[in-house]
Amino acid sequence: MEWITLLAGFVGTIVGAGASFAGTWWTQRQADTAAREQHARMQTHAAIETTVNAVLALRHHGRAFPTINNSGGSGNTEEHAWAERLPALLDGIDLATMQIRDRELRERLTEIIGFSARYEYFVSLTPNIFTPGTFHRSSTVGPLAEHAIACLGARLRDEPLPEPSATLLSVRATEQELMSEGHL
């Protein structure tokens, strides 16, 4: 009879220790998962904040586009200086965007950066298509940056991305037109 009591005590101890170990393991696993999720949220938030700052600089740059004089536009040194600074701003946004985990947001921002960067290429291929005021950096870079800010803000609020802006749709259509006509 003593063996049964001893065996029951031993089995109870093993079962209790196993349950205690499983409970501790489960709690630690949940805590590790929560910590990883919190770290990912913090990284995403930091990446979005960095991108917002870079896009705000782009928006400011877009608004600071120099007034084009009527004596040759492209020879304008202020416009040239403005254009020289644009790639650095776009590179900053591109680097910041790479850190964003949200694929849909990352792709939208990459599209905006690409259109802003390809503007000069569009104009050089087909200067007759672009009449002053129809597709110009002063009317595209700023509004594209505004749309990027709206997208970033939506994600910070855990909302879906806004519909593409009129400027983004217009630039998409222009690129499609250039492609269909064999210019790109």
Side-chain angles (χ1 to χ4, degrees):
M1 223 21 137
E2 280 185 42
W3 287 103
I4 294 175
T5 306
L6 185 60
L7 186 59
F10 182 70
V11 169
T13 301
I14 296 297
V15 168
S20 176
F21 177 76
T24 301
W25 173 81
W26 180 257
T27 302
Q28 185 61 42
R29 182 172 172 221
Q30 294 295 85
D32 289 347
T33 300
R36 275 193 304 278
E37 289 172 359
Q38 177 64 19
H39 181 70
R41 277 192 301 276
M42 288 173 50
Q43 281 183 323
T44 298
H45 188 73
I48 288 175
E49 281 185 12
T50 300
T51 307
V52 164
N53 289 331
V55 172
L56 285 171
L58 178 66
R59 181 180 71 176
H60 177 72
H61 189 65
R63 289 179 177 171
F65 191 82
T67 306
I68 300 173
N69 61 31
N70 292 330
S71 63
S74 63
N76 185 334
T77 57
E78 290 176 7
E79 184 178 346
H80 182 72
W82 186 93
E84 290 276 318
R85 183 156 157 33
L86 185 62
L89 291 169
L90 294 173
D91 287 347
I93 297 169
D94 194 31
L95 288 171
T97 300
M98 287 182 206
Q99 299 173 22
I100 295 175
R101 295 174 185 263
D102 182 327
R103 182 178 181 182
E104 183 183 17
L105 175 59
R106 192 174 55 246
E107 287 174 354
R108 180 79 61 90
L109 293 172
T110 299
E111 180 183 30
I112 290 168
I113 294 164
F115 284 138
S116 297
R118 289 191 299 273
Y119 165 82
E120 200 66 50
Y121 184 62
F122 292 167
V123 174
S124 69
L125 286 176
T126 57
N128 55 329
I129 291 177
F130 300 105
T131 56
T134 58
F135 185 73
H136 202 274
R137 279 191 174 146
S138 62
S139 62
T140 56
V141 172
L144 286 175
E146 291 288 339
H147 182 63
I149 291 167
C151 292
L152 290 160
R155 279 304 192 250
L156 283 174
R157 294 184 303 273
D158 291 326
E159 296 173 0
L161 290 181
E163 293 297 318
S165 68
T167 302
L168 182 58
L169 293 173
S170 173
V171 175
R172 281 179 182 168
T174 300
E175 185 174 63
Q176 286 299 101
E177 181 182 334
L178 291 173
M179 291 175 95
S180 68
E181 293 176 359
H183 296 292
L184 295 178

